Amino acid sequence: MSDQNVHNAGFTSSGIRGGSLASSMMSHEARASGGGVHSGGPTATLQEMGARGSTHSSGFTSSGISGGSLASQMMSQEARSHGGGTPRGGTTSTVQSISMGGKGGR
């Protein structure tokens, strides 16, 4: 189900769908960073997954983050850089939320 959730949010193999949650996220992220979307951020990560058509191979699943996966490595790295926790609205929490059908951490 998480692959469909990412697609439903507007992250597709054809790019970000206009008027979608994805386009809203991209706009918000670009304004916050001075005009661009950074590689490795929530929008870029989700779009990469939407273009591939798979979140499961990265470890973001509808059941949570899979141990030993790329997702768990991302979560661990983000937690270390933020003093032990993953911040709301960060890459890991946003990608996981959308993978589970949520609206991200915004």
Side-chain angles (χ1 to χ4, degrees), residues 16-105:
I16 290 178
R17 190 173 53 242
S20 66
L21 173 62
S23 67
S24 176
M25 282 180 60
M26 182 174 69
S27 175
H28 176 77
E29 193 174 334
R31 282 193 310 272
S33 67
V37 175
H38 296 286
S39 176
T43 302
T45 300
L46 282 158
Q47 182 51 39
E48 181 182 344
M49 291 175 183
R52 270 198 326 257
S54 176
T55 60
H56 293 291
S57 63
S58 299
F60 293 99
T61 74
S62 57
S63 302
I65 292 176
S66 299
S69 66
L70 174 61
S72 68
Q73 291 171 8
M74 286 174 62
M75 184 173 68
S76 177
Q77 180 180 4
E78 194 169 16
R80 281 193 306 273
S81 69
H82 287 91
T86 55
R88 181 171 187 221
T91 301
T92 304
S93 62
T94 300
V95 173
Q96 183 57 36
S97 174
I98 289 175
S99 295
M100 295 180 76
K103 303 220 184 261

